[in-house]
C-alpha cells in the first residue's frame, strides 16, 4: 500500500511512542516495587527481600537507560516531524516539557544514590533515595501526560490566524480533564508493571512450586496489581464521562455510535462499517451507553452523524482499541477480585496452580491495555494534532522521503527491544532455583 509522508511521520511517531511507553511505564512502577521490597527487608530482616530490591533496582536502571534513549528520540521527533506544532504551540505548552526534564534528572540522581549507595549512605537515606526515584518517575509521566491533555482539550491561549496569543502557560498545562487523564495513565503504569512482574513469578512458581524467593516476590507484586486493577475501571469511568462532554466525536468513535439516540445502547464487540454506518457483530446493552456516559438511562448521546465527515477519527480502529482496553481491564479486575477473596479466606497470598496459571496468562494484559489505551487517545483525536485548532496534516514537516527514517528507527527499536529482553531475562534467570544467584536468594 502506498503511504504518504504524513502517514510515515504518524507511523514513526506511533512506533516510537508504542516502544517508549513500555519503558516509561516500568520506570514509573518498578521503583515502587523496589522500595516496597526494601521496606519489607528492613521490617523482617529477610534477605530474599533485599535480593529482590537489588534485582528490581538493576531492572529499573536498565529500563531507565533505554527509556532515556527512546524518550530523547521522541523529543527530537516532535521538532523534526512536527515543526509547525512545536513552532506554534511550543511556548504554550513548554512548561510541562521543562518540568518533565527536571523530574528526569532528579530521578537519575537518586537512582544513582540508590544503586551505588546501599553500603555507603545511611539506611534511611538509601530508602529515601528509592522513594524519590519513585516520586520523580511518577512526576515525569504526570508532566508528559499534561501535554497530551492539552492536545486533546487545548486551553490557555487565544487562537488567531497568526498563531496563539494571550498565552497563559499554567492554564494550558492544566487543561480540562487533566486530573482524569493523569490518574488513568499513572494507574496504568503501576498496573501493567505489577501484572507483568506477577506473571513472571507465577511462571517460575509453576515450574518450581517451592521457590521461596518467588513466593515473596509475588507477595510484593500482587497487592499493587490487585489494587490498581480495581481502581482503574473507576478512574476510567470518570475519564470516559469527561470525554463524553468534552470530546463527543471521540466517544462516538470509541463506541461505534453513528446515530444520535436518547437511551443509547452500549455496543459490545463488532467492527464498525462507516459506509453503512452500522456495527455488524456487536451485542447491544439497552441504554448502557447513556448510563455510562452521563449516568442517566434516558440521556441523549450524539452520534458520528452529528459531526462533519472530515472530522471523524478512524472509527473502526478506535472502537477495536477501546474494546481491547476495556476487555483486558475487565479480565484483570475479575482476577484481582478472585485473588483478594482467596487471600482473605486463606490469610496469605494464594499459590495454587490454577491461580498461578491465571496470573501467568494475565501477565501481558496490563501492557496490552496500556498500548490500546494510548491508541484510543491518539487515534481518537485525529484528524487534529491540537483538537479543533491545528490538523495533523498542517503540522507535519515539508521534508520529503520520510520512509527512510521510519524503517531505520524500526530496525533500531527491534534491536533495542531484543537486547533489553535478553538482559532482563538474565536478571530473572539468576534467581531460579539452582542458579548461583538463586542459591544466595534462598539463603543456601
Amino acid at each position: 500500500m502506498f503511504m504518504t509522508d504524513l502517514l510515515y511521520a504518524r507511523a514513526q511517531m506511533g512506533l516510537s511512542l508504542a516502544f517508549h511507553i513500555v519503558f516509561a511505564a516500568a520506570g514509573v512502577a518498578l521503583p515502587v516495587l523496589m522500595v516496597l521490597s526494601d521496606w519489607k527487608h528492613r521490617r523482617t530482616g529477610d534477605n530474599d527481600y533485599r535480593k529482590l530490591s537489588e534485582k528490581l533496582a538493576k531492572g529499573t536502571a536498565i529500563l531507565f537507560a533505554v527509556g532515556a534513549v527512546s524518550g530523547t528520540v521522541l523529543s527530537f521527533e516532535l521538532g523534526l516531524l512536527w515543526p509547525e506544532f512545536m513552532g506554534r504551540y511550543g511556548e504554550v505548552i513548554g512548561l510541562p516539557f521543562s518540568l518533565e526534564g527536571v523530574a528526569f534528572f532528579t530521578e537519575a540522581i537518586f537512582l544513582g544514590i540508590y544503586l551505588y549507595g546501599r553500603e555507603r549512605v545511611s539506611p534511611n537515606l538509601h530508602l529515601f533515595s528509592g522513594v524519590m526515584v519513585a516520586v520523580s518517575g511518577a512526576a515525569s509521566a504526570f508532566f508528559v501526560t499534561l501535554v497530551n491533555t492539552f492536545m486533546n482539550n487545548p486551553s490557555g491561549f487565544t487562537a488567531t490566524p497568526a498563531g496563539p496569543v494571550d498565552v497563559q502557560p499554567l492554564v494550558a498545562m492544566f487543561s480540562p480533564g487533566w486530573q482524569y487523564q493523569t490518574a488513568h495513565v499513572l494507574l496504568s503504569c503501576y498496573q501493567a508493571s505489577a501484572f507483568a512482574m506477577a506473571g513472571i513469578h507465577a511462571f517460575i512458581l509453576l515450574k518450581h512450586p517451592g521457590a521461596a524467593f518467588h513466593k515473596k516476590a509475588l507477595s510484593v507484586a500482587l497487592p499493587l496489581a490487585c489494587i490498581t486493577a480495581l481502581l482503574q475501571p473507576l478512574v476510567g469511568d470518570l475519564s470516559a464521562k469527561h470525554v463524553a462532554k468534552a470530546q463527543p466525536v471521540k466517544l462516538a468513535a470509541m463506541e461505534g455510535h453513528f446515530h444520535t439516540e436518547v437511551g443509547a445502547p452500549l455496543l459490545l464487540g463488532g467492527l464498525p462499517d462507516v459506509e453503512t454506518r452500522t456495527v455488524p457483530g456487536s451485542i447491544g446493552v439497552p441504554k448502557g451507553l447513556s448510563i455510562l456516559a452521563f449516568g442517566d438511562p434516558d440521556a441523549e448521546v450524539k452520534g458520528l452523524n452529528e459531526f462533519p465527515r472530515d472530522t471523524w477519527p478512524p472509527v473502526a480502529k478506535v472502537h477495536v482499541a477501546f474494546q481491547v482496553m476495556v476487555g483486558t481491564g475487565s479480565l484483570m479486575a475479575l482476577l484481582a477480585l478472585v485473588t483478594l477473596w482467596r487471600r482473605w479466606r486463606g490469610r496469605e497470598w494464594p499459590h495454587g496452580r490454577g491461580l498461578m496459571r491465571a496470573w501467568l496468562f494475565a501477565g501481558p494484559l496490563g501492557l496490552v491495555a496500556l498500548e490500546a489505551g494510548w491508541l484510543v487517545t491518539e487515534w481518537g483525536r485525529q484528524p487534529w494534532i491540537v483538537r479543533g485548532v491545528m490538523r495533523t496534516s498542517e503540522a507535519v514537516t515539508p521534508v520529503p522521503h520520510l520512509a527512510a527514517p521510519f524503517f531505520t528507527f524500526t530496525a533500531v527499536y527491534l534491536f533495542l527491544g531484543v537486547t533489553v529482553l535478553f538482559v532482563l531475562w538474565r536478571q530473572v534467570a539468576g534467581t531460579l532455583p539452582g542458579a548461583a544467584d538463586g542459591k544466595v536468594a534462598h539463603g543456601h
Side-chain angles (χ1 to χ4, degrees):
M1 184 185 73
F2 175 75
M3 285 180 63
T4 63
D5 281 333
L6 172 61
L7 281 177
Y8 273 121
R10 286 184 58 198
Q12 185 175 332
M13 199 73 192
L15 175 72
S16 300
L17 274 169
F19 183 84
H20 175 72
I21 198 171
V22 174
F23 299 99
V28 170
L30 282 190
V32 173
L33 295 161
M34 172 184 84
V35 169
L36 286 173
S37 304
D38 218 344
W39 175 74
K40 280 201 165 191
H41 167 247
R42 292 186 62 181
R43 192 167 62 88
T44 64
D46 189 328
N47 279 330
D48 277 348
Y49 289 117
R50 171 171 170 153
K51 188 70 178 179
L52 178 61
S53 73
E54 290 172 347
K55 289 290 183 183
L56 288 169
K58 288 179 182 177
T60 299
I62 293 164
L63 296 169
F64 179 82
V66 178
V69 173
S70 57
T72 302
V73 170
L74 272 171
S75 65
F76 277 114
E77 286 178 349
L78 275 172
L80 294 174
L81 294 177
W82 313 104
E84 291 299 318
F85 166 62
M86 293 305 293
R88 185 166 292 193
Y89 292 98
E91 64 171 318
V92 184
I93 202 60
L95 182 57
F97 276 127
S98 302
L99 292 172
E100 192 276 336
V102 173
F104 172 81
F105 284 117
T106 304
E107 184 178 5
I109 290 165
F110 282 104
L111 182 58
I113 295 171
Y114 190 87
L115 283 171
Y116 302 110
R118 188 179 288 271
E119 307 297 341
R120 295 177 176 86
V121 299
S122 70
N124 286 340
L125 177 57
H126 185 257
L127 188 63
F128 173 76
S129 67
V131 171
M132 287 304 297
V133 173
V135 171
S136 302
S140 188
F142 175 80
F143 291 126
V144 167
T145 306
L146 290 180
V147 177
N148 193 264
T149 305
F150 167 83
M151 295 165 75
N152 287 319
N153 297 291
S155 64
F157 67 97
T158 301
T160 72
V165 297
D166 303 325
V167 174
Q168 302 174 67
L170 280 175
V171 175
M173 185 164 81
F174 294 102
S175 293
W178 68 268
Q179 62 273 55
Y180 308 119
Q181 193 166 337
T182 53
H184 200 44
V185 167
L186 286 170
L187 276 176
S188 68
C189 292
Y190 298 126
Q191 183 178 357
S193 301
F195 265 80
M197 179 174 166
I200 290 168
H201 293 291
F203 171 74
I204 294 170
L205 285 170
L206 283 168
K207 290 184 170 294
H208 306 281
F213 173 83
H214 295 283
K215 285 184 178 180
K216 291 165 189 171
L218 198 64
S219 75
V220 172
L222 286 181
L224 185 62
C226 291
I227 291 168
T228 52
L230 295 178
L231 285 176
Q232 189 65 285
L234 302 176
V235 174
D237 179 63
L238 293 173
S239 184
K241 283 180 166 59
H242 174 76
V243 169
K245 294 175 183 175
Q247 302 176 71
V249 67
K250 178 187 279 189
L251 178 81
M254 285 158 53
E255 300 291 352
H257 185 62
F258 288 97
H259 308 287
T260 299
E261 290 183 65
V262 172
L266 178 71
L267 301 183
L268 303 177
L271 187 65
D273 184 336
V274 295
E275 300 303 322
T276 61
R277 307 202 174 187
T278 58
V279 188
S282 63
I283 300 171
V285 179
K287 301 194 175 186
L289 183 54
S290 292
I291 294 170
L292 286 176
F294 298 103
D296 178 0
D298 297 315
E300 180 183 88
V301 182
K302 288 185 178 180
L304 287 161
N305 292 338
E306 294 285 326
F307 306 95
R309 182 67 181 82
D310 67 346
T311 64
W312 288 15
V315 181
K317 291 179 180 179
V318 175
H319 178 72
V320 170
F322 182 68
Q323 295 283 308
V324 169
M325 181 187 71
V326 173
T328 51
S330 300
L331 287 173
M332 288 186 284
L334 179 62
L335 179 56
L337 281 173
V338 172
T339 303
L340 288 173
W341 179 69
R342 294 278 296 275
R343 166 73 172 83
W344 177 73
R345 288 194 65 193
R347 304 297 179 190
E348 64 176 14
W349 292 105
H351 303 109
R353 291 188 68 80
L355 204 57
M356 288 301 96
R357 286 196 189 95
W359 276 100
L360 168 61
F361 289 117
L365 293 186
L367 289 172
V368 171
L370 179 68
E371 296 283 9
W374 272 105
L375 289 175
V376 171
T377 301
E378 296 304 296
W379 281 338
R381 192 181 61 247
Q382 297 305 316
W384 308 98
I385 192 166
V386 181
R387 189 177 62 85
V389 179
M390 175 181 273
R391 287 179 177 262
T392 310
S393 57
E394 298 169 345
V396 72
T397 177
V399 176
H401 311 303
L402 295 182
F406 170 74
F407 288 112
T408 301
F409 279 106
T410 300
V412 171
Y413 286 140
L414 282 172
F415 172 75
L416 274 175
V418 171
T419 304
V420 169
L421 286 174
F422 174 74
V423 174
L424 289 177
W425 173 245
R426 289 288 298 272
Q427 291 294 314
V428 174
T431 66
L432 295 176
D437 285 348
K439 292 176 182 176
V440 175
H442 286 69
H444 295 317

